[in-house]
Amino acid sequence: MTAQKVLKLSELEQDTAVRVVVDKVPMAVVLDGNGEVHAIGDTCTHGDISLAEGFVEDDTLECWAHGSAFSLRTGEALNLPAYEPVPVYEVTIDGDDILIDPAVTREVK
Ligand code: FES
């Protein structure tokens, strides 16, 4: 699997998540307040809720349903009720293009 062009950097609003589907893999893509782009699995591990509909705060994305926040860096669930992590995908920026490889995930540390 190779990285695919998913979005333009100029299409992202800071601290707002966007849902994309790459090769049937749903992801939440976020431009954080430091100008870094993150891609994590879009489905909350507590329920079938799109995390992209949630709230970005610093480097976390919070599920609107019951308030679990997930690290945009590690995918870790930082508070209950969710306790399982979401996958984290490698993001490559090429000019204005955002490329993501749906097969590549980083390990939770
Ligand atoms: S569905 Fe996300 S915290 Fe419950």
Side-chain angles (χ1 to χ4, degrees):
M1 197 81 57
T2 55
Q4 300 176 37
K5 282 184 196 173
V6 172
L7 285 166
K8 298 269 185 204
L9 196 51
S10 53
E11 292 173 329
L12 290 182
E13 220 172 287
Q14 213 155 38
D15 292 336
T16 303
V18 173
R19 184 180 195 272
V20 297
V21 178
V22 183
D23 280 348
K24 299 182 182 168
V25 179
M27 302 175 187
V29 181
V30 174
L31 172 65
D32 73 14
N34 294 321
E36 286 183 65
V37 179
H38 307 273
I40 64 172
D42 186 49
T43 307
C44 179
T45 56
H46 179 244
D48 190 18
I49 297 289
S50 168
L51 291 176
E53 296 172 3
F55 314 102
V56 178
E57 192 172 332
D58 299 325
D59 59 356
T60 67
L61 180 54
E62 182 183 319
C63 179
W64 62 264
H66 310 105
S68 285
F70 293 84
S71 167
L72 292 168
R73 298 185 185 284
T74 67
E76 191 180 359
L78 301 173
N79 58 294
L80 295 171
Y83 57 89
E84 303 236 357
V86 292
V88 179
Y89 300 96
E90 289 287 349
V91 175
T92 305
I93 307 295
D94 181 12
D96 192 37
D97 293 325
I98 298 171
L99 295 92
I100 301 174
D101 186 339
V104 176
T105 57
R106 286 190 296 231
E107 295 289 321
V108 174
K109 294 184 181 127

